[in-house]
Amino acid sequence: DVLKIDRSFVRELGNDDASAKIVRAVGALAHDFGMKVTAEGIETDEQWAAARAVSCDLGQGYRFARPIPAGDIAALLSSNSVGSLLTACS
């Protein structure tokens, strides 16, 4: 249902035309099969903008949130922090 683009390609988005072409082509293929495309390793607003420009639907990385221990997930979901996290993703 979801195809992830490795961070090694995402890291170079905006700096390397070849990476953008690869991500765009792989993303188009995934979309043709009805899949969503997630860009891994998004660390900056610029990378997120570049990923969205080449049709990535979702992003994953430090730009959105740092990793947290599994035991802290329930507290995060029940807190107001989820709203700010979702805002950061848009």
Side-chain angles (χ1 to χ4, degrees):
D1 294 332
V2 178
L3 180 125
K4 287 189 174 184
I5 303 291
D6 188 77
R7 69 184 183 154
S8 62
F9 294 104
V10 173
R11 179 177 41 240
E12 296 302 322
L13 286 176
N15 300 322
D16 178 30
D17 287 340
S19 289
K21 288 177 183 177
I22 290 168
V23 172
R24 186 179 297 113
V26 171
L29 182 62
H31 287 141
D32 284 348
F33 282 97
M35 301 171 77
K36 296 281 186 184
V37 179
T38 298
E40 292 184 328
I42 301 286
E43 295 183 359
T44 67
D45 290 341
E46 292 78 17
Q47 286 174 326
W48 181 225
R52 301 228 25 202
V54 292
S55 301
C56 291
D57 305 298
L58 306 166
Q60 177 182 338
Y62 289 164
R63 189 247 182 223
F64 307 106
R66 297 280 178 177
I68 63 171
D72 294 345
I73 295 292
L76 175 68
L77 292 174
S78 66
S79 74
N80 289 332
S81 299
V82 173
S84 63
L85 177 61
L86 294 176
T87 300
C89 293
S90 58

